[in-house]
Amino acid sequence: MTGFAEFMERALYDPENGFYESGQAGRRGGHFITSPEVGPLFGAVVARMVDRRWTELGQPDPFTVVDAGAGPGTLARTVAKAEPRCTPALHWINVERSAAGRATHTVGESTSAMPDGPITGVIVANELLDNLPLRLFDPEGGEIGEHPPSPETRLAPRQDQACVWLEQALSILIRGTVVVIDYMSTTEEMASRPWPEWLRTYRGHERGNDPWTAPGTQDITCEVALDQLSAICPPTRVSDQAAWLKAHGIDDLVVEGNAAWRAGSAQGDLAALAGRSRAIEAEALLDPAGLGGFTVAEWDAA
């Protein structure tokens, strides 16, 4: 029997028919939108976080930022637009498995695999680990494969690939921080709920069918079991995305944007319009029922 991990691998990452080769994942015109795609505000906050870490580490040169699961490279472009102070030392690496995603990278280095290291800097995984193939187990019936169980069935995920990714990220980072942003819960919590509540699909900005239906045409995601990651290494900090964005200055950026809007709204210049959009973007990024409710787990390397 082929396990669910192998099935999910083909459905998402097959070079010819995988969902991520469609080139639409994570874009405004695609099937779902990630935080960087909401607008440039998320990248501006990440630029502040990167600058803070660069300063805390003594302004090393080079200072490497790895965007793992970079998709179309939007985060790199919006961070560059924010002009962080560390720019002269910044070495940005976009890591994206799909050729369709890599074809759109215009800022930084583009590669299909994590660097070998060692690096000093920040490794960011925004909505990556939920897409890594996982194994599914029915406590009574064993491992689940290519055939869907009843929606009422209680299953438990085993996220081996997510754990391996974290091990690799920590192994190549000499000094700096690994930042994982995703919807997270625990293995026990997921096993207590029907599996469609935490193993989900998306198509056309809406929930799709079950993961076994029409493979290659919809995204497949699973809540990330923080307890499984913590077994590899306990995180240094855990918060929700709203609190994390506030800690890195999103409120100041919104105030700055509102001031630009007031100063230039009569003329309708681009800076004023961009400033006005910050409040709208912040509302989406901070929404506790949406992106703001995502978990941010961070691991510091000495």
Side-chain angles (χ1 to χ4, degrees):
M1 178 186 73
T2 300
F4 183 75
E6 291 80 8
F7 170 81
M8 186 173 173
E9 172 74 25
R10 295 196 306 273
L12 294 182
Y13 300 109
D14 180 82
E16 294 184 1
N17 301 309
F19 173 77
Y20 281 98
E21 286 302 329
S22 70
Q24 293 299 306
R27 294 183 177 181
R28 285 183 174 272
H31 297 278
F32 59 88
I33 295 176
T34 62
S35 292
E37 294 293 332
V38 170
L41 179 59
F42 184 81
V45 177
V46 171
R48 285 194 166 203
M49 179 273 291
V50 166
D51 266 342
R52 177 182 294 183
R53 203 68 184 103
W54 179 62
T55 300
E56 292 170 346
L57 294 172
Q59 301 185 354
D61 187 358
F63 184 72
T64 302
V65 175
V66 178
D67 182 6
T74 304
L75 184 58
R77 290 190 289 273
T78 53
V79 168
K81 183 178 180 180
E83 300 181 339
R85 292 181 293 105
C86 66
T87 296
L90 183 59
H91 177 207
W92 189 283
I93 303 176
N94 299 288
V95 180
E96 173 56 42
R97 285 186 61 174
S98 77
R102 295 195 303 276
T104 63
H105 294 170
T106 57
V107 174
E109 179 183 342
S110 180
T111 180
S112 62
M114 290 284 283
D116 293 331
I119 67 171
T120 294
V122 176
I123 299 175
V124 179
N126 179 57
E127 294 194 59
L128 168 67
L129 271 58
D130 65 284
N131 287 129
L132 297 184
L134 64 140
R135 301 171 71 188
L136 291 174
F137 289 90
D138 178 347
E140 297 181 358
E143 187 167 1
I144 303 298
E146 295 188 5
H147 303 289
S150 165
E152 295 78 26
T153 304
R154 299 301 198 263
L155 301 177
R158 182 169 171 180
Q159 296 175 313
D160 297 330
Q161 290 199 31
C163 292
V164 168
W165 182 90
L166 179 60
E167 284 185 310
Q168 181 186 14
L170 292 172
S171 72
I172 65 175
L173 189 67
I174 298 177
R175 300 167 63 225
T177 305
V178 175
V179 182
V180 174
I181 306 173
D182 234 311
Y183 32 67
M184 299 188 193
S185 56
T186 66
T187 307
E188 181 179 4
E189 198 276 334
M190 283 187 271
S192 70
R193 298 152 55 199
W195 62 263
E197 294 184 10
W198 47 266
L199 180 63
R200 300 185 284 268
T201 64
Y202 293 93
R203 176 191 292 140
H205 299 284
E206 296 180 352
R207 289 286 294 271
N209 296 310
D210 69 72
W212 292 267
T213 299
T217 66
Q218 57 186 357
D219 191 22
I220 302 174
T221 75
C222 180
E223 292 179 15
V224 177
L226 183 57
D227 58 303
Q228 295 184 33
L229 299 182
S230 298
I232 301 301
C233 181
T236 308
R237 291 173 298 280
V238 178
S239 66
D240 60 36
Q241 175 164 294
W244 185 81
L245 292 172
K246 286 177 177 292
H248 292 290
I250 191 171
D251 290 338
D252 292 340
L253 288 169
V254 171
V255 169
E256 179 183 287
N258 287 337
W261 170 248
R262 289 192 298 270
S265 59
Q267 292 77 30
D269 59 51
L270 292 178
L273 293 172
R276 178 67 182 89
S277 72
R278 284 186 177 179
I280 299 171
E281 293 172 40
E283 183 176 352
L285 294 171
L286 299 173
D287 181 4
L291 294 170
F294 278 24
T295 298
V296 182
E298 300 178 273
W299 288 260
D300 288 342

